[in-house]
Structure formats: structure tokens, C-alpha cells
Amino acid sequence: MYIVQIASEIAPVAKVGGLADVMMGLSRELKWKGHQVDIFVPKYDCLDTRYLQFTPKKKTKSYFQGTWHDNTIVTSKLNGDLLLTFIDAHHPARFFERGAIYGSIDDIDRFLYFSRACLDYLKSEGTPPNVIHIHDWETAIIALLVKDPYFEDFFSKTKVVLTIHNMDYQGRCSVFNLDAIGLPGAQYKELLQHTDTQDVNLLKAGIIFADAVATVSPTYAQEVLKPEGGKGLQDVLNKYRKKFFGILNGLDYSYWNPEVDRFMVQKYSSDTVDFRSLKEKNKWHLLDEFKLQKSKNKPLIAAIARLVPQKGIELLKNTLTYAQEKGAQYILLGTAPDPAVHKEFSELAERYASHPDIRIILRSEEALAHRLYAASDIFIVPSIFEPCGLTQLIAMKYGSIPVVRATGGLKDTVFDVDMIEHGNGFTFDSPDIKGLHSALDRAVKMYKEKVEKWQKLMVQAMKYDYSWNKPADQYLDIYQ
Ligand code: ADP
């Protein structure tokens, strides 16, 4: 099958969150299963070019606001096997030269431009894909664009699959934005408006016009059918329920794996008896790096997250005092897109800058994330809601025991060891301090007092299979 993946992120070169990991992991698995996979992303000026070797391929034109604009198509191999295709836009607004992937005032225009440019390029190449797989609001309009008279003949045999990674981000705009990419916006006004406003909603367009729609875990797929989870799109999702699926995200174990991880100080495998002491070398090294005290009996709690309300900001903060009171250590690695939250955490980071047990690190650093998964003993994910969540899956693979709020994909992947024999972590239901402590207390106690039980739990967590093998088959079933 010829599959084209189109999204705003791809790990590790253009990554903000889990979408980037999914793009890389799913694409590689599909490739390993024998399919042709092309990945389209914008050629941002902030790409991490260390992993790339660009080859300019050709010039192509794309339509925007009544004019045809030049783009250069640039390709690069990633990890030796994946082919990335970058759209380098020459539009005077320099859409992808903003120093960041998101956060520009014209994000809607930037990603509408990108969506249209991908289709213009595909059409100019002359080989229609069997499947175009689009992700989130940034590329959702492609589901409608392929049905526009300008494209419909060329893409008549192409199916479009949309994956929704987070209902919090829907792409609200006006009919004029649709006009810009050659769609008759007014014609879709009623159909695409958000329930309570006159805005056009790009994610809604994707839901209505895609041939199939998926979201990233079975539990989240249930949650979004209700108002609290659906955030205004629950009715349209219910209406198109027959083509709506919940498919759990996987992990690329050739990238997230303590046996082969190139960023780690000491590799380890749950198959060797001494794995715990090998894992500990990573901990001592990281504690040294951040000038934290080395102590045998203190579990190192970690969190790696975008600091947005979804992730349970108050609970992530509360863990600062919790760790001090309970004889634990805590490292938080995160970034806050909201300047007020960033300021608050910067002040906390400063306050704890020379604390023996606590560090707050406010930056995005892929290599450090790998080292922190490897070094930590306990990994907290106290989310208010969580479509899938990848950090708990990565943590498990590295033998860092997840303590999570049982919601969305966290509920589908973390099973409380006090409730089932082959558990892989600790869970709590209510997203408040009492709830978090009810699970963290049990984790810290087991770590400190039940050494053998803890080791058994680590092995169980590390052996759970959350690879892309099964989810990729589920996507292939949908593609078929
Ligand atoms: P989301 O997509 O909502 O951000 P996920 O759990 O699905 O959450 O994916 C988060 C991904 O982003 C993981 O790969 C995680 O390691 C990574 N990540 C989050 N924050 C940082 C950071 N500050 N530095 C490095 N990696 C980060």
C-alpha cells in the first residue's frame, strides 16, 4: 500500500509532544510491514537538523489567497529508513520561519497553507496514494480538500484517515480562511461551525469528511463522545460513530528502549539479573549532573510534560513538597507555553536551584528526557485528562514505575499492582492531591520497604508490550 502521513510534527526533528513520536513510530512499523510510507512535514527553521541530510527534490507551486506560490520540496532520510518530505514555503509570510512549531498568530494560515501545498505537490507528482493519514486540526482540512472539484478526480481512489490526538486543540477560524486555500468557505459555513459559535472548526471538517476517524486509546474514544471529553464535538463524533475508532498508540522500541538507547550512560535489560544496578548507574550519573544528593533509600520521582492544565499542573507542583516530606527526590522536566505558567515555574526552579533533592528543568531536551526515564524510579502522570499518554509507556520500558490518574489512555495501559497480580504501576481516580498521594504513598512505601516486590514490579512493567506491532495492524485494517 502507498501511505502518506501528513502532520505538523515528526520525532525527533520537529517535536513538541506525543504526535511527533506517533508519526515516527507508526510510520516505521508500517514500513517494516512492507508498505511504502511518505511523511510530509513543514520545513521549519527550527528543525533539529543533526539527524537530517537534505536533498532538494523539485520546485512546486501551491495555491493561497488567489495566487500560486513557489515551494521547494526537500527530502531527507531519517534513521536510515524513513523518507521525510519537507515543504519549504516561499510565501512572503515565511510561514515556517518563526523559530517555533506553534504559537504564531497566523497558525491557522500556516497549516492551511501546508495542507494545500501537500496536495498540490502530490497532484504534480502524478501518483495518488492509497491512503492519506492526517493528524489533528493542523491537517484535518485535507479530508475536505481532496473532495474539492480541483482535486477530486486525482484523489478519487485515495482514502483519508484522521487521527485525533487531543480534543483540546480544534483549529477555530473563519470562512475566509477556507477561501484562502480555494475552498468555497461560505458553502460550508453551517456544516463546519462549532456548536456554540459562528467559527469554522477545522477538526470538525476532518471528522465529517474523513473516511475513517481514530483517536489514540479506547477509553478516550469513549470519553470524547460525552460533553466533558468531546469539548463541543461530541455530537458530531456520535453522529459519525460508525467510522470512529479508538486505537492505542504504540512505542517505537528501536528508539525508546534501555537496551539500545544511545543517549543513556549505561544500557540495561530486564533479562539480566543485575539490571537494577546497571539502571542505577544512570541515576547516580544524573544526580551528579544536576548536583543532587546521592542517597540509596530515596526513590527518584520524575515527570516529563508540557506544563498545560491537562497535565495536572497543581499536582506536578505539589510533588515538590511531597518529595521533601516523604524522603524522595524529584526532577521535573517540562516546558510551559503559557508565559504566566512559565514564570511561576521559573521562580520555583530558582528557589530549588541548590536543593539537595529537587530540580525543575524548564526546557525541551530529547536526550535529557531519555536519561531521566532511565534514571528515575517512579514516574508521575497526574493528568486531568489524557488521550493516550506516551510518557507512562516509555517509563515502564525503562523500569520507572508509573503513578497515574486513571483516565483516557492511562487507564488502558497502567494497571494497579495492588489490584491485579501482574500490575505495572499505581493508579488513582480523583485528580486532586488526596488522590495522587493515595497512589504515591503506596509506591514510595513499596520502594523503600519491599525491595524484592519492587524489583518484580519493575520487571513486570518492563515486559509489557506496547510496541506499534498491534496498533499498526489495526490502522492497516482501517486503511484496507
Ligand atoms: P503530549 O503529546 O500531550 O505532550 P505524550 O505523553 O503523548 O504527551 O507525549 C509527550 C512526549 O514529549 C514524550 O515523548 C515526552 O518524553 C516528550 N516531552 C515532553 N516534554 C518534554 C521536554 N521538556 N523535553 C523533552 N521531551 C519532552
Side-chain angles (χ1 to χ4, degrees), residues 279 300 302 373 376-380 392 395-396 398-404 414 417 423-426 440 443 446-447 454-462:
K279 176 173 165 59
L300 173 60
Y373 286 115
S376 57
D377 301 298
I378 295 172
F379 195 93
I380 53 166
Q392 82 280 11
M396 276 186 241
Y398 287 73
S400 180
I401 300 303
V403 171
V404 309
V414 181
V417 69
N424 52 15
F426 297 87
L440 255 183
M446 189 190 286
Y447 176 91
W454 186 264
Q455 174 136 341
K456 188 172 159 226
L457 174 58
M458 287 171 80
V459 174
Q460 277 173 199
M462 291 167 86

PDB file of all heavy atoms in Angstrom, residues 279 300 302 373 376-380 392 395-396 398-404 414 417 423-426 440 443 446-447 454-462:
ATOM      1  N   LYS A 279      20.881  -0.081  35.913  1.00  0.00           N
ATOM      2  CA  LYS A 279      19.975   1.070  35.803  1.00  0.00           C
ATOM      3  C   LYS A 279      20.398   2.179  36.775  1.00  0.00           C
ATOM      4  O   LYS A 279      20.369   3.357  36.438  1.00  0.00           O
ATOM      5  CB  LYS A 279      18.530   0.625  36.091  1.00  0.00           C
ATOM      6  CG  LYS A 279      17.499   1.767  36.095  1.00  0.00           C
ATOM      7  CD  LYS A 279      16.067   1.251  36.202  1.00  0.00           C
ATOM      8  CE  LYS A 279      15.060   2.342  36.567  1.00  0.00           C
ATOM      9  NZ  LYS A 279      14.954   3.470  35.674  1.00  0.00           N
ATOM     10  N   LEU A 300      13.765   8.227  43.203  1.00  0.00           N
ATOM     11  CA  LEU A 300      13.780   9.421  42.357  1.00  0.00           C
ATOM     12  C   LEU A 300      12.469   9.455  41.552  1.00  0.00           C
ATOM     13  O   LEU A 300      12.227   8.588  40.711  1.00  0.00           O
ATOM     14  CB  LEU A 300      14.991   9.402  41.412  1.00  0.00           C
ATOM     15  CG  LEU A 300      15.026  10.521  40.350  1.00  0.00           C
ATOM     16  CD1 LEU A 300      15.040  11.908  40.982  1.00  0.00           C
ATOM     17  CD2 LEU A 300      16.241  10.360  39.432  1.00  0.00           C
ATOM     18  N   ALA A 302      10.077  11.221  38.818  1.00  0.00           N
ATOM     19  CA  ALA A 302      10.267  12.093  37.647  1.00  0.00           C
ATOM     20  C   ALA A 302       8.936  12.423  37.012  1.00  0.00           C
ATOM     21  O   ALA A 302       7.946  11.690  37.150  1.00  0.00           O
ATOM     22  CB  ALA A 302      11.161  11.399  36.612  1.00  0.00           C
ATOM     23  N   TYR A 373      14.216   9.151  32.051  1.00  0.00           N
ATOM     24  CA  TYR A 373      13.432   7.902  32.105  1.00  0.00           C
ATOM     25  C   TYR A 373      14.314   6.793  32.699  1.00  0.00           C
ATOM     26  O   TYR A 373      13.875   6.004  33.535  1.00  0.00           O
ATOM     27  CB  TYR A 373      12.966   7.479  30.707  1.00  0.00           C
ATOM     28  CG  TYR A 373      11.835   8.317  30.131  1.00  0.00           C
ATOM     29  CD1 TYR A 373      12.022   9.106  28.993  1.00  0.00           C
ATOM     30  CD2 TYR A 373      10.567   8.302  30.704  1.00  0.00           C
ATOM     31  CE1 TYR A 373      10.991   9.858  28.442  1.00  0.00           C
ATOM     32  CE2 TYR A 373       9.522   9.061  30.163  1.00  0.00           C
ATOM     33  CZ  TYR A 373       9.741   9.837  29.038  1.00  0.00           C
ATOM     34  OH  TYR A 373       8.722  10.576  28.506  1.00  0.00           O
ATOM     35  N   SER A 376      15.147   7.422  36.647  1.00  0.00           N
ATOM     36  CA  SER A 376      14.108   7.561  37.683  1.00  0.00           C
ATOM     37  C   SER A 376      13.586   6.210  38.158  1.00  0.00           C
ATOM     38  O   SER A 376      13.678   5.193  37.469  1.00  0.00           O
ATOM     39  CB  SER A 376      12.967   8.414  37.145  1.00  0.00           C
ATOM     40  OG  SER A 376      12.446   7.859  35.966  1.00  0.00           O
ATOM     41  N   ASP A 377      13.010   6.239  39.371  1.00  0.00           N
ATOM     42  CA  ASP A 377      12.401   5.038  39.952  1.00  0.00           C
ATOM     43  C   ASP A 377      10.886   5.063  39.808  1.00  0.00           C
ATOM     44  O   ASP A 377      10.245   4.033  39.624  1.00  0.00           O
ATOM     45  CB  ASP A 377      12.751   4.957  41.450  1.00  0.00           C
ATOM     46  CG  ASP A 377      14.249   4.912  41.675  1.00  0.00           C
ATOM     47  OD1 ASP A 377      14.886   3.956  41.203  1.00  0.00           O
ATOM     48  OD2 ASP A 377      14.789   5.858  42.294  1.00  0.00           O
ATOM     49  N   ILE A 378      10.324   6.265  39.959  1.00  0.00           N
ATOM     50  CA  ILE A 378       8.866   6.434  39.909  1.00  0.00           C
ATOM     51  C   ILE A 378       8.584   7.547  38.905  1.00  0.00           C
ATOM     52  O   ILE A 378       9.297   8.555  38.869  1.00  0.00           O
ATOM     53  CB  ILE A 378       8.315   6.833  41.300  1.00  0.00           C
ATOM     54  CG1 ILE A 378       8.540   5.693  42.306  1.00  0.00           C
ATOM     55  CG2 ILE A 378       6.832   7.205  41.225  1.00  0.00           C
ATOM     56  CD1 ILE A 378       8.207   6.063  43.751  1.00  0.00           C
ATOM     57  N   PHE A 379       7.521   7.379  38.118  1.00  0.00           N
ATOM     58  CA  PHE A 379       7.211   8.385  37.095  1.00  0.00           C
ATOM     59  C   PHE A 379       5.751   8.814  37.247  1.00  0.00           C
ATOM     60  O   PHE A 379       4.850   7.978  37.170  1.00  0.00           O
ATOM     61  CB  PHE A 379       7.439   7.801  35.695  1.00  0.00           C
ATOM     62  CG  PHE A 379       7.500   8.844  34.633  1.00  0.00           C
ATOM     63  CD1 PHE A 379       8.707   9.385  34.232  1.00  0.00           C
ATOM     64  CD2 PHE A 379       6.324   9.327  34.069  1.00  0.00           C
ATOM     65  CE1 PHE A 379       8.750  10.382  33.267  1.00  0.00           C
ATOM     66  CE2 PHE A 379       6.356  10.329  33.109  1.00  0.00           C
ATOM     67  CZ  PHE A 379       7.575  10.857  32.704  1.00  0.00           C
ATOM     68  N   ILE A 380       5.530  10.099  37.503  1.00  0.00           N
ATOM     69  CA  ILE A 380       4.135  10.516  37.750  1.00  0.00           C
ATOM     70  C   ILE A 380       3.494  11.144  36.507  1.00  0.00           C
ATOM     71  O   ILE A 380       4.110  11.921  35.777  1.00  0.00           O
ATOM     72  CB  ILE A 380       4.017  11.501  38.944  1.00  0.00           C
ATOM     73  CG1 ILE A 380       4.948  12.712  38.794  1.00  0.00           C
ATOM     74  CG2 ILE A 380       4.264  10.786  40.259  1.00  0.00           C
ATOM     75  CD1 ILE A 380       4.605  13.838  39.765  1.00  0.00           C
ATOM     76  N   GLN A 392       4.086   7.454  30.225  1.00  0.00           N
ATOM     77  CA  GLN A 392       3.960   6.292  31.128  1.00  0.00           C
ATOM     78  C   GLN A 392       4.427   5.014  30.433  1.00  0.00           C
ATOM     79  O   GLN A 392       4.988   4.121  31.073  1.00  0.00           O
ATOM     80  CB  GLN A 392       2.516   6.162  31.642  1.00  0.00           C
ATOM     81  CG  GLN A 392       1.529   5.471  30.730  1.00  0.00           C
ATOM     82  CD  GLN A 392       0.995   6.378  29.614  1.00  0.00           C
ATOM     83  OE1 GLN A 392       1.496   7.465  29.382  1.00  0.00           O
ATOM     84  NE2 GLN A 392      -0.038   5.939  28.921  1.00  0.00           N
ATOM     85  N   ALA A 395       8.232   5.232  30.408  1.00  0.00           N
ATOM     86  CA  ALA A 395       8.726   4.997  31.770  1.00  0.00           C
ATOM     87  C   ALA A 395       8.746   3.495  32.080  1.00  0.00           C
ATOM     88  O   ALA A 395       9.742   2.961  32.576  1.00  0.00           O
ATOM     89  CB  ALA A 395       7.868   5.751  32.776  1.00  0.00           C
ATOM     90  N   MET A 396       7.655   2.815  31.759  1.00  0.00           N
ATOM     91  CA  MET A 396       7.580   1.368  32.042  1.00  0.00           C
ATOM     92  C   MET A 396       8.724   0.612  31.380  1.00  0.00           C
ATOM     93  O   MET A 396       9.337  -0.251  31.982  1.00  0.00           O
ATOM     94  CB  MET A 396       6.262   0.815  31.499  1.00  0.00           C
ATOM     95  CG  MET A 396       5.105   0.987  32.431  1.00  0.00           C
ATOM     96  SD  MET A 396       3.698   0.126  31.716  1.00  0.00           S
ATOM     97  CE  MET A 396       2.578   1.465  31.499  1.00  0.00           C
ATOM     98  N   TYR A 398      11.550   1.548  30.729  1.00  0.00           N
ATOM     99  CA  TYR A 398      12.832   1.835  31.386  1.00  0.00           C
ATOM    100  C   TYR A 398      12.825   1.407  32.867  1.00  0.00           C
ATOM    101  O   TYR A 398      13.736   1.749  33.621  1.00  0.00           O
ATOM    102  CB  TYR A 398      13.170   3.330  31.253  1.00  0.00           C
ATOM    103  CG  TYR A 398      13.596   3.713  29.838  1.00  0.00           C
ATOM    104  CD1 TYR A 398      12.664   3.783  28.804  1.00  0.00           C
ATOM    105  CD2 TYR A 398      14.926   3.986  29.535  1.00  0.00           C
ATOM    106  CE1 TYR A 398      13.035   4.109  27.510  1.00  0.00           C
ATOM    107  CE2 TYR A 398      15.319   4.326  28.240  1.00  0.00           C
ATOM    108  CZ  TYR A 398      14.368   4.381  27.240  1.00  0.00           C
ATOM    109  OH  TYR A 398      14.747   4.706  25.959  1.00  0.00           O
ATOM    110  N   GLY A 399      11.741   0.725  33.273  1.00  0.00           N
ATOM    111  CA  GLY A 399      11.679   0.247  34.658  1.00  0.00           C
ATOM    112  C   GLY A 399      11.412   1.349  35.667  1.00  0.00           C
ATOM    113  O   GLY A 399      11.711   1.200  36.853  1.00  0.00           O
ATOM    114  N   SER A 400      10.865   2.463  35.212  1.00  0.00           N
ATOM    115  CA  SER A 400      10.458   3.538  36.117  1.00  0.00           C
ATOM    116  C   SER A 400       8.947   3.362  36.305  1.00  0.00           C
ATOM    117  O   SER A 400       8.193   3.379  35.331  1.00  0.00           O
ATOM    118  CB  SER A 400      10.789   4.896  35.478  1.00  0.00           C
ATOM    119  OG  SER A 400      10.403   5.937  36.336  1.00  0.00           O
ATOM    120  N   ILE A 401       8.522   3.154  37.551  1.00  0.00           N
ATOM    121  CA  ILE A 401       7.144   2.701  37.784  1.00  0.00           C
ATOM    122  C   ILE A 401       6.150   3.866  37.696  1.00  0.00           C
ATOM    123  O   ILE A 401       6.259   4.844  38.438  1.00  0.00           O
ATOM    124  CB  ILE A 401       7.045   2.009  39.157  1.00  0.00           C
ATOM    125  CG1 ILE A 401       7.981   0.797  39.187  1.00  0.00           C
ATOM    126  CG2 ILE A 401       5.608   1.592  39.462  1.00  0.00           C
ATOM    127  CD1 ILE A 401       7.746  -0.242  38.094  1.00  0.00           C
ATOM    128  N   PRO A 402       5.169   3.763  36.797  1.00  0.00           N
ATOM    129  CA  PRO A 402       4.234   4.876  36.625  1.00  0.00           C
ATOM    130  C   PRO A 402       3.207   4.975  37.758  1.00  0.00           C
ATOM    131  O   PRO A 402       2.685   3.970  38.223  1.00  0.00           O
ATOM    132  CB  PRO A 402       3.530   4.551  35.298  1.00  0.00           C
ATOM    133  CG  PRO A 402       3.684   3.095  35.117  1.00  0.00           C
ATOM    134  CD  PRO A 402       4.945   2.682  35.825  1.00  0.00           C
ATOM    135  N   VAL A 403       2.970   6.205  38.174  1.00  0.00           N
ATOM    136  CA  VAL A 403       1.891   6.522  39.121  1.00  0.00           C
ATOM    137  C   VAL A 403       0.985   7.478  38.361  1.00  0.00           C
ATOM    138  O   VAL A 403       1.380   8.609  38.063  1.00  0.00           O
ATOM    139  CB  VAL A 403       2.452   7.188  40.404  1.00  0.00           C
ATOM    140  CG1 VAL A 403       1.322   7.711  41.283  1.00  0.00           C
ATOM    141  CG2 VAL A 403       3.322   6.196  41.173  1.00  0.00           C
ATOM    142  N   VAL A 404      -0.201   7.017  37.992  1.00  0.00           N
ATOM    143  CA  VAL A 404      -1.004   7.793  37.044  1.00  0.00           C
ATOM    144  C   VAL A 404      -2.445   7.954  37.496  1.00  0.00           C
ATOM    145  O   VAL A 404      -2.978   7.116  38.221  1.00  0.00           O
ATOM    146  CB  VAL A 404      -1.012   7.129  35.637  1.00  0.00           C
ATOM    147  CG1 VAL A 404       0.395   6.827  35.152  1.00  0.00           C
ATOM    148  CG2 VAL A 404      -1.857   5.859  35.613  1.00  0.00           C
ATOM    149  N   VAL A 414      -2.009   1.400  32.325  1.00  0.00           N
ATOM    150  CA  VAL A 414      -1.380   1.205  33.639  1.00  0.00           C
ATOM    151  C   VAL A 414      -2.364   0.476  34.556  1.00  0.00           C
ATOM    152  O   VAL A 414      -3.500   0.912  34.731  1.00  0.00           O
ATOM    153  CB  VAL A 414      -0.952   2.546  34.277  1.00  0.00           C
ATOM    154  CG1 VAL A 414      -0.281   2.299  35.628  1.00  0.00           C
ATOM    155  CG2 VAL A 414       0.014   3.292  33.347  1.00  0.00           C
ATOM    156  N   VAL A 417      -0.852  -2.482  40.726  1.00  0.00           N
ATOM    157  CA  VAL A 417      -0.279  -3.735  41.220  1.00  0.00           C
ATOM    158  C   VAL A 417      -0.947  -4.179  42.527  1.00  0.00           C
ATOM    159  O   VAL A 417      -0.905  -5.352  42.884  1.00  0.00           O
ATOM    160  CB  VAL A 417       1.257  -3.597  41.369  1.00  0.00           C
ATOM    161  CG1 VAL A 417       1.606  -2.651  42.516  1.00  0.00           C
ATOM    162  CG2 VAL A 417       1.932  -4.944  41.535  1.00  0.00           C
ATOM    163  N   GLY A 423       0.234  -6.393  37.725  1.00  0.00           N
ATOM    164  CA  GLY A 423       0.159  -4.949  37.551  1.00  0.00           C
ATOM    165  C   GLY A 423       1.490  -4.382  37.086  1.00  0.00           C
ATOM    166  O   GLY A 423       2.534  -5.045  37.134  1.00  0.00           O
ATOM    167  N   ASN A 424       1.443  -3.112  36.646  1.00  0.00           N
ATOM    168  CA  ASN A 424       2.672  -2.471  36.156  1.00  0.00           C
ATOM    169  C   ASN A 424       2.841  -1.063  36.713  1.00  0.00           C
ATOM    170  O   ASN A 424       3.656  -0.295  36.211  1.00  0.00           O
ATOM    171  CB  ASN A 424       2.681  -2.444  34.620  1.00  0.00           C
ATOM    172  CG  ASN A 424       1.398  -1.840  34.064  1.00  0.00           C
ATOM    173  OD1 ASN A 424       0.641  -1.210  34.809  1.00  0.00           O
ATOM    174  ND2 ASN A 424       1.147  -2.020  32.776  1.00  0.00           N
ATOM    175  N   GLY A 425       2.043  -0.700  37.726  1.00  0.00           N
ATOM    176  CA  GLY A 425       2.169   0.640  38.280  1.00  0.00           C
ATOM    177  C   GLY A 425       1.150   0.877  39.369  1.00  0.00           C
ATOM    178  O   GLY A 425       0.637  -0.076  39.979  1.00  0.00           O
ATOM    179  N   PHE A 426       0.883   2.154  39.613  1.00  0.00           N
ATOM    180  CA  PHE A 426      -0.094   2.542  40.636  1.00  0.00           C
ATOM    181  C   PHE A 426      -1.043   3.558  40.012  1.00  0.00           C
ATOM    182  O   PHE A 426      -0.602   4.429  39.246  1.00  0.00           O
ATOM    183  CB  PHE A 426       0.618   3.163  41.844  1.00  0.00           C
ATOM    184  CG  PHE A 426       1.543   2.202  42.547  1.00  0.00           C
ATOM    185  CD1 PHE A 426       2.869   2.062  42.125  1.00  0.00           C
ATOM    186  CD2 PHE A 426       1.105   1.422  43.613  1.00  0.00           C
ATOM    187  CE1 PHE A 426       3.729   1.176  42.755  1.00  0.00           C
ATOM    188  CE2 PHE A 426       1.954   0.529  44.246  1.00  0.00           C
ATOM    189  CZ  PHE A 426       3.277   0.404  43.819  1.00  0.00           C
ATOM    190  N   LEU A 440       0.893   7.591  45.323  1.00  0.00           N
ATOM    191  CA  LEU A 440       2.332   7.839  45.531  1.00  0.00           C
ATOM    192  C   LEU A 440       2.812   7.222  46.847  1.00  0.00           C
ATOM    193  O   LEU A 440       3.904   6.645  46.906  1.00  0.00           O
ATOM    194  CB  LEU A 440       2.591   9.347  45.557  1.00  0.00           C
ATOM    195  CG  LEU A 440       3.238   9.977  44.326  1.00  0.00           C
ATOM    196  CD1 LEU A 440       3.499  11.460  44.554  1.00  0.00           C
ATOM    197  CD2 LEU A 440       4.550   9.281  43.943  1.00  0.00           C
ATOM    198  N   ALA A 443       3.471   3.661  46.362  1.00  0.00           N
ATOM    199  CA  ALA A 443       4.671   3.432  45.547  1.00  0.00           C
ATOM    200  C   ALA A 443       5.936   3.664  46.377  1.00  0.00           C
ATOM    201  O   ALA A 443       6.856   2.829  46.378  1.00  0.00           O
ATOM    202  CB  ALA A 443       4.645   4.356  44.329  1.00  0.00           C
ATOM    203  N   MET A 446       6.458   0.894  48.960  1.00  0.00           N
ATOM    204  CA  MET A 446       6.941  -0.372  48.394  1.00  0.00           C
ATOM    205  C   MET A 446       8.415  -0.254  47.997  1.00  0.00           C
ATOM    206  O   MET A 446       9.219  -1.153  48.239  1.00  0.00           O
ATOM    207  CB  MET A 446       6.107  -0.815  47.183  1.00  0.00           C
ATOM    208  CG  MET A 446       6.462  -2.220  46.735  1.00  0.00           C
ATOM    209  SD  MET A 446       5.740  -2.727  45.165  1.00  0.00           S
ATOM    210  CE  MET A 446       4.057  -3.012  45.587  1.00  0.00           C
ATOM    211  N   TYR A 447       8.774   0.882  47.413  1.00  0.00           N
ATOM    212  CA  TYR A 447      10.170   1.097  47.003  1.00  0.00           C
ATOM    213  C   TYR A 447      11.100   0.990  48.205  1.00  0.00           C
ATOM    214  O   TYR A 447      12.163   0.352  48.139  1.00  0.00           O
ATOM    215  CB  TYR A 447      10.324   2.470  46.348  1.00  0.00           C
ATOM    216  CG  TYR A 447      11.749   2.803  45.987  1.00  0.00           C
ATOM    217  CD1 TYR A 447      12.263   2.493  44.737  1.00  0.00           C
ATOM    218  CD2 TYR A 447      12.597   3.419  46.926  1.00  0.00           C
ATOM    219  CE1 TYR A 447      13.579   2.779  44.414  1.00  0.00           C
ATOM    220  CE2 TYR A 447      13.915   3.707  46.615  1.00  0.00           C
ATOM    221  CZ  TYR A 447      14.408   3.392  45.365  1.00  0.00           C
ATOM    222  OH  TYR A 447      15.714   3.672  45.047  1.00  0.00           O
ATOM    223  N   TRP A 454       9.388  -4.739  44.712  1.00  0.00           N
ATOM    224  CA  TRP A 454       9.621  -3.612  43.783  1.00  0.00           C
ATOM    225  C   TRP A 454      10.343  -4.099  42.530  1.00  0.00           C
ATOM    226  O   TRP A 454       9.992  -3.751  41.405  1.00  0.00           O
ATOM    227  CB  TRP A 454      10.413  -2.501  44.475  1.00  0.00           C
ATOM    228  CG  TRP A 454      10.542  -1.277  43.616  1.00  0.00           C
ATOM    229  CD1 TRP A 454      11.574  -0.939  42.808  1.00  0.00           C
ATOM    230  CD2 TRP A 454       9.556  -0.251  43.457  1.00  0.00           C
ATOM    231  NE1 TRP A 454      11.314   0.236  42.157  1.00  0.00           N
ATOM    232  CE2 TRP A 454      10.075   0.692  42.531  1.00  0.00           C
ATOM    233  CE3 TRP A 454       8.296  -0.018  44.001  1.00  0.00           C
ATOM    234  CZ2 TRP A 454       9.389   1.833  42.145  1.00  0.00           C
ATOM    235  CZ3 TRP A 454       7.603   1.124  43.623  1.00  0.00           C
ATOM    236  CH2 TRP A 454       8.142   2.028  42.698  1.00  0.00           C
ATOM    237  N   GLN A 455      11.353  -4.931  42.758  1.00  0.00           N
ATOM    238  CA  GLN A 455      12.124  -5.436  41.611  1.00  0.00           C
ATOM    239  C   GLN A 455      11.235  -6.260  40.677  1.00  0.00           C
ATOM    240  O   GLN A 455      11.318  -6.141  39.455  1.00  0.00           O
ATOM    241  CB  GLN A 455      13.299  -6.289  42.132  1.00  0.00           C
ATOM    242  CG  GLN A 455      14.055  -6.952  41.011  1.00  0.00           C
ATOM    243  CD  GLN A 455      15.566  -6.850  41.185  1.00  0.00           C
ATOM    244  OE1 GLN A 455      16.064  -6.007  41.940  1.00  0.00           O
ATOM    245  NE2 GLN A 455      16.291  -7.702  40.505  1.00  0.00           N
ATOM    246  N   LYS A 456      10.342  -7.052  41.283  1.00  0.00           N
ATOM    247  CA  LYS A 456       9.427  -7.868  40.482  1.00  0.00           C
ATOM    248  C   LYS A 456       8.503  -6.945  39.669  1.00  0.00           C
ATOM    249  O   LYS A 456       8.238  -7.174  38.483  1.00  0.00           O
ATOM    250  CB  LYS A 456       8.599  -8.760  41.426  1.00  0.00           C
ATOM    251  CG  LYS A 456       7.769  -9.775  40.707  1.00  0.00           C
ATOM    252  CD  LYS A 456       7.122 -10.764  41.699  1.00  0.00           C
ATOM    253  CE  LYS A 456       5.922 -11.416  41.020  1.00  0.00           C
ATOM    254  NZ  LYS A 456       4.731 -11.483  41.801  1.00  0.00           N
ATOM    255  N   LEU A 457       8.043  -5.893  40.333  1.00  0.00           N
ATOM    256  CA  LEU A 457       7.156  -4.929  39.658  1.00  0.00           C
ATOM    257  C   LEU A 457       7.884  -4.281  38.475  1.00  0.00           C
ATOM    258  O   LEU A 457       7.315  -4.101  37.390  1.00  0.00           O
ATOM    259  CB  LEU A 457       6.694  -3.866  40.666  1.00  0.00           C
ATOM    260  CG  LEU A 457       5.885  -2.686  40.145  1.00  0.00           C
ATOM    261  CD1 LEU A 457       4.616  -3.146  39.439  1.00  0.00           C
ATOM    262  CD2 LEU A 457       5.516  -1.746  41.308  1.00  0.00           C
ATOM    263  N   MET A 458       9.160  -3.937  38.689  1.00  0.00           N
ATOM    264  CA  MET A 458       9.937  -3.333  37.592  1.00  0.00           C
ATOM    265  C   MET A 458       9.993  -4.272  36.388  1.00  0.00           C
ATOM    266  O   MET A 458       9.766  -3.857  35.247  1.00  0.00           O
ATOM    267  CB  MET A 458      11.378  -3.032  38.051  1.00  0.00           C
ATOM    268  CG  MET A 458      11.498  -1.849  38.993  1.00  0.00           C
ATOM    269  SD  MET A 458      13.167  -1.742  39.673  1.00  0.00           S
ATOM    270  CE  MET A 458      14.051  -0.980  38.340  1.00  0.00           C
ATOM    271  N   VAL A 459      10.265  -5.528  36.658  1.00  0.00           N
ATOM    272  CA  VAL A 459      10.384  -6.496  35.553  1.00  0.00           C
ATOM    273  C   VAL A 459       9.042  -6.623  34.839  1.00  0.00           C
ATOM    274  O   VAL A 459       8.972  -6.619  33.605  1.00  0.00           O
ATOM    275  CB  VAL A 459      10.873  -7.873  36.071  1.00  0.00           C
ATOM    276  CG1 VAL A 459      10.863  -8.908  34.958  1.00  0.00           C
ATOM    277  CG2 VAL A 459      12.280  -7.745  36.652  1.00  0.00           C
ATOM    278  N   GLN A 460       7.963  -6.700  35.635  1.00  0.00           N
ATOM    279  CA  GLN A 460       6.637  -6.810  35.012  1.00  0.00           C
ATOM    280  C   GLN A 460       6.340  -5.616  34.107  1.00  0.00           C
ATOM    281  O   GLN A 460       5.866  -5.761  32.987  1.00  0.00           O
ATOM    282  CB  GLN A 460       5.552  -6.900  36.098  1.00  0.00           C
ATOM    283  CG  GLN A 460       5.399  -8.294  36.618  1.00  0.00           C
ATOM    284  CD  GLN A 460       4.455  -8.428  37.809  1.00  0.00           C
ATOM    285  OE1 GLN A 460       4.535  -9.423  38.510  1.00  0.00           O
ATOM    286  NE2 GLN A 460       3.588  -7.476  38.054  1.00  0.00           N
ATOM    287  N   ALA A 461       6.651  -4.411  34.614  1.00  0.00           N
ATOM    288  CA  ALA A 461       6.381  -3.199  33.823  1.00  0.00           C
ATOM    289  C   ALA A 461       7.221  -3.196  32.548  1.00  0.00           C
ATOM    290  O   ALA A 461       6.729  -2.871  31.465  1.00  0.00           O
ATOM    291  CB  ALA A 461       6.668  -1.954  34.665  1.00  0.00           C
ATOM    292  N   MET A 462       8.485  -3.598  32.693  1.00  0.00           N
ATOM    293  CA  MET A 462       9.392  -3.565  31.523  1.00  0.00           C
ATOM    294  C   MET A 462       8.987  -4.569  30.452  1.00  0.00           C
ATOM    295  O   MET A 462       9.290  -4.388  29.281  1.00  0.00           O
ATOM    296  CB  MET A 462      10.843  -3.820  31.973  1.00  0.00           C
ATOM    297  CG  MET A 462      11.412  -2.677  32.802  1.00  0.00           C
ATOM    298  SD  MET A 462      12.946  -3.106  33.634  1.00  0.00           S
ATOM    299  CE  MET A 462      14.158  -2.736  32.365  1.00  0.00           C
TER     300      MET A 462
END
